[in-house]
Protein backbone atom coordinates (compact mmCIF):
# COMPACT_ATOMS: atom_id res chain seq x y z
CA UNK A 1 0.00 0.00 0.00
CA UNK A 2 2.83 2.39 0.84
CA UNK A 3 4.59 1.57 -2.42
CA UNK A 4 1.43 2.35 -4.35
CA UNK A 5 1.11 5.71 -2.56
CA UNK A 6 4.75 6.55 -3.31
CA UNK A 7 4.38 5.55 -6.95
CA UNK A 8 1.27 7.70 -7.37
CA UNK A 9 2.87 10.73 -5.70
CA UNK A 10 6.08 10.68 -7.80
CA UNK A 11 4.52 12.26 -10.91
CA UNK A 12 2.96 14.98 -8.75
CA UNK A 13 6.26 15.79 -7.08
CA UNK A 14 8.00 15.83 -10.45
CA UNK A 15 5.52 18.32 -11.88
CA UNK A 16 5.84 20.54 -8.79
CA UNK A 17 9.62 20.58 -9.09
CA UNK A 18 9.36 21.40 -12.78
CA UNK A 19 6.96 24.33 -12.18
CA UNK A 20 9.21 26.00 -9.59
CA UNK A 21 11.23 27.98 -12.15
CA UNK A 22 11.97 31.64 -11.43
CA UNK A 23 9.40 34.13 -12.65
CA UNK A 24 10.46 37.59 -13.81
CA UNK A 25 8.46 40.79 -13.92
CA UNK A 26 9.01 43.10 -16.89
CA UNK A 27 6.78 46.12 -16.19
CA UNK A 28 3.23 44.75 -16.42
CA UNK A 29 4.34 41.54 -18.10
CA UNK A 30 5.56 38.34 -16.45
CA UNK A 31 7.82 35.70 -17.96
CA UNK A 32 9.77 32.62 -16.92
CA UNK A 33 12.19 32.91 -19.86
CA UNK A 34 15.51 33.81 -18.18
CA UNK A 35 17.30 34.95 -21.36
CA UNK A 36 14.44 37.25 -22.36
CA UNK A 37 14.24 38.61 -18.81
CA UNK A 38 17.98 39.34 -18.84
CA UNK A 39 17.68 41.18 -22.19
CA UNK A 40 14.86 43.39 -20.95
CA UNK A 41 16.29 43.94 -17.47
CA UNK A 42 13.39 42.26 -15.68
CA UNK A 43 13.36 41.67 -11.94
CA UNK A 44 12.70 38.27 -10.37
CA UNK A 45 9.48 37.94 -8.38
CA UNK A 46 10.19 36.76 -4.84
CA UNK A 47 7.73 34.63 -2.87
CA UNK A 48 4.09 33.94 -3.55
CA UNK A 49 2.54 32.60 -6.67
CA UNK A 50 1.78 34.58 -9.79
CA UNK A 51 -1.39 33.91 -11.72
CA UNK A 52 -1.30 35.20 -15.26
CA UNK A 53 -4.37 35.27 -17.45
CA UNK A 54 -3.45 35.54 -21.09
CA UNK A 55 -5.47 38.01 -23.10
CA UNK A 56 -5.27 39.65 -26.47
CA UNK A 57 -1.94 41.38 -27.12
CA UNK A 58 -2.05 45.18 -26.99
CA UNK A 59 -2.71 46.87 -30.31
CA UNK A 60 0.60 48.75 -30.49
CA UNK A 61 1.27 47.67 -34.08
CA UNK A 62 -0.49 50.72 -35.58
CA UNK A 63 0.72 53.79 -33.65
CA UNK A 64 -0.24 56.25 -36.40
CA UNK A 65 -3.97 55.45 -36.37
CA UNK A 66 -4.75 56.79 -32.84
CA UNK A 67 -2.70 59.92 -33.50
CA UNK A 68 -4.67 60.58 -36.67
CA UNK A 69 -7.95 60.14 -34.82
CA UNK A 70 -6.95 62.51 -32.00
CA UNK A 71 -6.31 65.33 -34.50
CA UNK A 72 -9.62 64.84 -36.27
CA UNK A 73 -12.54 66.88 -34.90
CA UNK A 74 -15.33 65.05 -33.14
CA UNK A 75 -18.36 64.37 -35.31
CA UNK A 76 -20.80 67.26 -35.07
CA UNK A 77 -24.54 67.28 -35.35
CA UNK A 78 -26.19 69.66 -37.74
CA UNK A 79 -26.93 73.14 -36.37
CA UNK A 80 -30.67 72.63 -35.88
CA UNK A 81 -30.19 69.41 -33.91
CA UNK A 82 -27.45 70.96 -31.77
CA UNK A 83 -29.58 74.04 -31.06
CA UNK A 84 -32.45 71.76 -30.03
CA UNK A 85 -30.16 69.84 -27.66
CA UNK A 86 -28.80 73.07 -26.19
CA UNK A 87 -32.33 74.37 -25.75
CA UNK A 88 -33.40 71.15 -24.00
CA UNK A 89 -30.34 71.24 -21.77
CA UNK A 90 -31.01 74.88 -20.89
CA UNK A 91 -34.66 74.10 -20.05
CA UNK A 92 -33.67 71.17 -17.83
CA UNK A 93 -30.96 73.16 -16.04
CA UNK A 94 -33.27 76.13 -15.52
CA UNK A 95 -35.96 73.83 -14.12
CA UNK A 96 -33.45 72.35 -11.68
CA UNK A 97 -32.25 75.85 -10.78
CA UNK A 98 -35.82 76.96 -10.03
CA UNK A 99 -36.39 73.89 -7.80
CA UNK A 100 -33.12 74.48 -5.96
CA UNK A 101 -33.89 78.17 -5.43
CA UNK A 102 -37.36 77.32 -4.12
CA UNK A 103 -35.94 74.75 -1.69
CA UNK A 104 -33.25 77.24 -0.66
CA UNK A 105 -35.91 79.83 0.16
CA UNK A 106 -37.77 77.25 2.30
CA UNK A 107 -34.58 76.32 4.15
CA UNK A 108 -33.67 79.96 4.81
CA UNK A 109 -37.17 80.61 6.11
CA UNK A 110 -36.91 77.62 8.45
CA UNK A 111 -33.33 78.55 9.47
CA UNK A 112 -34.47 82.07 10.44
CA UNK A 113 -30.94 83.58 10.44
CA UNK A 114 -29.61 80.93 12.81
CA UNK A 115 -32.60 80.93 15.17
CA UNK A 116 -35.05 78.31 13.93
CA UNK A 117 -38.28 77.99 15.84
CA UNK A 118 -38.02 75.34 18.55
CA UNK A 119 -40.30 72.33 18.37
CA UNK A 120 -41.87 70.69 21.44
CA UNK A 121 -39.20 67.98 21.44
CA UNK A 122 -36.43 70.55 21.18
CA UNK A 123 -37.75 72.43 24.21
CA UNK A 124 -37.13 69.28 26.26
CA UNK A 125 -33.90 68.39 24.44
CA UNK A 126 -31.77 71.48 23.65
CA UNK A 127 -29.11 69.35 21.90
CA UNK A 128 -31.66 68.33 19.25
CA UNK A 129 -32.23 72.02 18.49
CA UNK A 130 -28.48 72.60 18.09
CA UNK A 131 -28.20 69.60 15.79
CA UNK A 132 -31.17 70.70 13.67
CA UNK A 133 -29.73 74.21 13.37
CA UNK A 134 -26.39 72.80 12.22
CA UNK A 135 -28.16 70.49 9.76
CA UNK A 136 -30.16 73.38 8.31
CA UNK A 137 -26.98 75.44 7.93
CA UNK A 138 -25.27 72.54 6.10
CA UNK A 139 -28.28 72.03 3.83
CA UNK A 140 -28.30 75.73 2.96
CA UNK A 141 -24.60 75.63 2.09
CA UNK A 142 -25.13 72.53 -0.07
CA UNK A 143 -28.09 74.07 -1.91
CA UNK A 144 -26.14 77.30 -2.46
CA UNK A 145 -23.31 75.24 -3.96
CA UNK A 146 -25.82 73.43 -6.19
CA UNK A 147 -27.33 76.72 -7.33
CA UNK A 148 -23.88 78.12 -8.15
CA UNK A 149 -23.04 74.98 -10.14
CA UNK A 150 -26.30 75.13 -12.09
CA UNK A 151 -25.69 78.78 -12.92
CA UNK A 152 -22.18 77.92 -14.17
CA UNK A 153 -23.60 75.14 -16.36
CA UNK A 154 -26.23 77.46 -17.80
CA UNK A 155 -23.56 80.09 -18.51
CA UNK A 156 -21.50 77.50 -20.43
CA UNK A 157 -24.33 76.83 -22.86
CA UNK A 158 -24.36 78.86 -26.05
CA UNK A 159 -26.74 81.81 -26.03
CA UNK A 160 -30.14 81.09 -27.50
CA UNK A 161 -31.12 82.94 -30.66
CA UNK A 162 -34.82 82.84 -29.79
CA UNK A 163 -36.13 81.64 -26.43
CA UNK A 164 -38.30 78.55 -26.46
CA UNK A 165 -41.93 78.99 -25.48
CA UNK A 166 -42.40 79.09 -21.72
CA UNK A 167 -38.67 78.92 -20.90
CA UNK A 168 -37.28 81.98 -19.10
CA UNK A 169 -33.87 83.24 -20.20
CA UNK A 170 -31.32 84.63 -17.70
Amino acid sequence: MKKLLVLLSLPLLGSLAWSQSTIYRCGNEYTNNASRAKEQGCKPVDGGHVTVIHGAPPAAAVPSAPAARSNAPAPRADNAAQRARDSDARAILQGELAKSQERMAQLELEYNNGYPERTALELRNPQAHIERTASLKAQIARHQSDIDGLRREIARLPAEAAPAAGVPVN
Side-chain angles (χ1 to χ4, degrees):
M1 188 68 167
K2 286 183 182 179
K3 287 183 183 182
L4 180 62
L5 184 61
V6 171
L7 287 174
L8 289 175
S9 63
L10 279 177
L12 291 174
L13 292 174
S15 66
L16 287 175
W18 178 72
S19 67
Q20 293 296 325
S21 63
T22 304
I23 297 176
Y24 300 92
R25 180 175 184 187
C26 310
N28 288 335
E29 187 177 329
Y30 294 90
T31 183
N32 60 354
N33 186 338
S35 62
R36 182 175 167 209
K38 190 177 265 188
E39 286 175 9
Q40 295 180 350
C42 302
K43 297 181 180 180
V45 176
D46 294 330
H49 299 285
V50 176
T51 302
V52 178
I53 300 172
H54 296 284
V62 187
S64 61
R69 266 190 242 133
S70 65
N71 294 337
R76 288 229 165 230
D78 63 349
N79 287 339
Q82 187 62 45
R83 275 193 301 258
R85 282 190 211 128
D86 291 343
S87 177
D88 291 346
R90 182 176 299 278
I92 291 168
L93 288 171
Q94 287 177 338
E96 288 295 320
L97 179 62
K99 285 183 206 173
S100 290
Q101 288 173 333
E102 183 180 319
R103 179 67 179 140
M104 178 77 155
Q106 291 172 351
L107 287 171
E108 286 176 338
L109 185 65
E110 186 178 349
Y111 185 63
N112 194 21
N113 292 323
Y115 299 102
E117 194 173 311
R118 291 179 185 255
T119 64
L121 292 174
E122 291 173 347
L123 289 172
R124 285 182 263 155
N125 184 2
Q127 185 62 33
H129 178 71
I130 294 169
E131 289 171 0
R132 184 169 68 98
T133 304
S135 172
L136 286 171
K137 187 176 182 179
Q139 287 178 27
I140 289 172
R142 187 174 59 246
H143 276 281
Q144 185 60 50
S145 174
D146 291 347
I147 288 170
D148 294 342
L150 287 167
R151 285 183 177 150
R152 280 192 304 271
E153 287 297 318
I154 290 171
R156 287 162 113 192
L157 292 173
E160 286 186 277
V167 179
V169 177
N170 282 354

